[in-house]
Amino acid sequence: MSSPKLHGQVAVVTGASSGIGRATALALARAGVQVVLAARTQATLDGVVQECAQSGTRAIAVPTDVTDEQLIAALMERAVQECGQLDILVTSAGGAAFGPIMESRTEDWDMLMNVNLRGTYLCCKSALKHMLPRKSGHILNVLSIASHMILPGSTAYTASKFGALGLTKVLAAEVRSEGIKVTAVIPGAVDTPLWDKSGGDLDRTKMLSPGDVADAMLSVIAQPAGIHTDELHLMPPLGVL
Ligand SMILES: NC(=O)c1ccc[n+]([C@@H]2O[C@H](COP(=O)([O-])OP(=O)(O)OC[C@H]3O[C@@H](n4cnc5c(N)ncnc54)[C@H](OP(=O)(O)O)[C@@H]3O)[C@@H](O)[C@H]2O)c1
């Protein structure tokens, strides 16, 4: 549904081809926000562009690997050049790998640090270059309950998400006085393709839906200027899972 507060704003959403990022891009488009969609795979991004177009809102796909600083800078530049400004950044690009530490692979550790932590840092920094001069903007970093809670069998994932929470908190404190909001989004388990890739024998019917997570984020983005939501905790009715 179009939102008078959000209509005409411009958002960059990373991880927009799947799961929480895709659902957020679609919800933003329905609210009348121009959406710049980023992930690595052009074909899946193009599909989400088509879905956004059904809301009558402009969306563009910019294939981007969030571990590449130059590509991220080009992504933010393109948003500003083609849409005129950058109001919202949602960082939802991410990965997961689970299992006891002695069975874990160092390649997975490196990948999770690169995508979940370094990628979030790079995207925030690059977006702020465009938000700070206007003294306006809202960054929402999609973290996890693993940013707060100890879940055995998730060493690298938890380390990346604890780190990203630290990054988000410091960032919020640094730019709050500059008119920019930074929100840590802390969901429990969400029923997305992440679980197909990372394994795990969990009951997905008990998880949050990505659409509900997206709607909750939109309600925070649409809050009055005088309210700052530092952390948005979203749990399924039965708890973490
Ligand atoms: N699902 C859950 O239970 C859950 C719970 C709490 C938090 N989260 C967090 O939510 C975020 C999104 O997860 P999801 O569940 O929506 O997963 P998902 O459905 O697997 O989506 C992940 C997205 O990230 C993109 N991506 C992965 N690596 C990338 C890279 N190097 N550069 C750019 N894009 C990349 C993927 O697209 P490409 O592969 O095409 O690049 C895809 O669009 C993650 O940070 C995850 O940790 C998930």
Side-chain angles (χ1 to χ4, degrees):
M1 190 198 310
S2 183
S3 154
K5 175 132 194 304
L6 299 183
H7 197 274
Q9 293 199 14
V10 179
V12 168
V13 180
T14 73
S17 62
S18 178
I20 298 168
R22 172 182 166 275
T24 306
L26 295 176
L28 286 164
R30 283 195 296 274
V33 175
Q34 298 181 71
V35 198
V36 181
L37 310 170
R40 291 167 301 179
T41 315
Q42 175 91 56
T44 40
L45 283 178
D46 287 344
V48 183
V49 166
Q50 298 299 323
E51 291 181 275
C52 288
Q54 288 168 18
S55 306
T57 312
R58 183 163 180 234
I60 55 175
V62 184
T64 308
D65 186 330
V66 299
T67 65
D68 185 321
E69 190 164 12
Q70 287 187 337
L71 290 180
I72 293 166
L75 165 70
M76 304 302 170
E77 290 287 347
R78 181 121 179 247
V80 172
Q81 275 171 11
E82 292 205 19
C83 304
Q85 67 211 43
L86 175 56
D87 302 293
I88 301 158
L89 169 67
V90 178
T91 63
S92 192
F98 300 114
I101 187 165
M102 296 312 290
E103 293 167 22
S104 66
R105 302 182 323 149
T106 309
E107 304 93 273
D108 287 335
W109 173 276
D110 291 341
M111 181 272 288
L112 293 177
M113 291 303 153
N114 263 331
V115 179
N116 294 356
L117 181 52
R118 185 171 179 274
T120 302
Y121 157 76
L122 291 174
C123 288
C124 291
K125 195 170 144 189
S126 194
L128 281 171
K129 184 180 159 204
H130 301 282
M131 292 176 172
L132 282 168
R134 297 177 60 228
K135 291 194 171 291
S136 170
H138 196 156
I139 294 173
L140 297 99
N141 289 335
V142 181
L143 307 178
S144 167
I145 187 63
S147 298
H148 279 291
M149 186 180 274
I150 300 308
L151 302 169
S154 66
T155 320
Y157 186 74
T158 295
S160 72
K161 294 293 183 179
F162 262 65
L165 179 62
L167 157 71
T168 304
K169 293 281 189 189
V170 173
L171 192 58
E174 283 189 12
V175 300
R176 186 185 293 263
S177 60
E178 301 295 323
I180 294 162
K181 297 182 181 184
V182 182
T183 301
V185 181
I186 314 280
V190 188
D191 183 11
T192 74
L194 175 138
W195 293 106
D196 302 331
K197 299 172 225 163
S198 60
D201 186 20
L202 300 169
D203 183 351
R204 291 170 61 159
T205 65
K206 292 183 179 160
M207 295 182 179
L208 291 160
S209 82
D212 285 349
V213 174
D215 288 346
M217 279 199 268
L218 252 73
S219 68
V220 167
I221 297 169
Q223 282 173 340
I227 298 176
H228 190 299
T229 298
D230 293 301
E231 291 194 17
L232 176 65
H233 286 246
L234 302 166
M235 292 301 139
L238 297 180
V240 176
L241 297 174

